[in-house]
Amino acid sequence: MRQGSKVSTLIGGINPENDDYASGSRSSNGAAYEYRFNEGQNVWTRTTVFHGTYEEGCFQYFGSSFALAKSLEKLIVKYDCATQQGVWPTYSGMHSTTLQFGAPYVFERAEGSWAQSWVLTQPGQKFDDLGRNIAVSWDGKVIAAGCEDGVLLY
């Protein structure tokens, strides 16, 4: 940020929301939040909550990372889904392997409102951890999403 510039929008994520690990219950699979600064009242106000869709049979994380274009009109939010593949005993206890896939969600702002515009995918690659790293160009026209094979550009 340049000296003297003002920040008017913040994006934050929580992943997942309201977990109760002792009971194994969850009330959500994570979220990302937009906060806007009201200069007249000198306060930050939460204006938008972003959620992904529920994928049956996996432990989900939505909002663990995100990228916001400088134009403030495109937001990419990371979505992860981890599925348990196998469990077996070891000397130190039970061990399990997981397969993880990602599908970054793209949200666009039009006329002051956010809407999900699409979900990034890698055809034929379900367990690729797509979106492990996310970046967006300053104008929002290019999105980079890290995966097991490197980086994909959209």
Side-chain angles (χ1 to χ4, degrees), residues 44-84:
W44 289 94
T45 304
R46 185 171 72 189
T47 55
T48 310
V49 179
F50 302 92
H51 287 281
T53 57
Y54 180 73
E55 180 80 23
E56 189 68 40
C58 71
F59 197 68
Q60 300 170 65
Y61 300 95
F62 184 85
S64 61
S65 66
F66 43 85
L68 179 65
K70 184 178 179 182
S71 65
L72 305 179
E73 294 180 1
K74 187 171 284 185
L75 172 68
I76 296 84
V77 180
K78 180 181 180 181
Y79 165 80
D80 281 325
C81 175
T83 61
Q84 187 169 329

Side-chain angles (χ1 to χ4, degrees), residues 86-118:
V87 178
W88 60 90
T90 65
Y91 290 113
S92 61
M94 298 302 282
H95 177 76
S96 66
T97 60
T98 58
L99 297 174
Q100 187 163 334
F101 68 90
Y105 282 62
V106 179
F107 296 90
E108 294 183 283
R109 184 193 321 256
E111 299 177 19
S113 297
W114 288 101
Q116 179 186 325
S117 57
W118 47 297

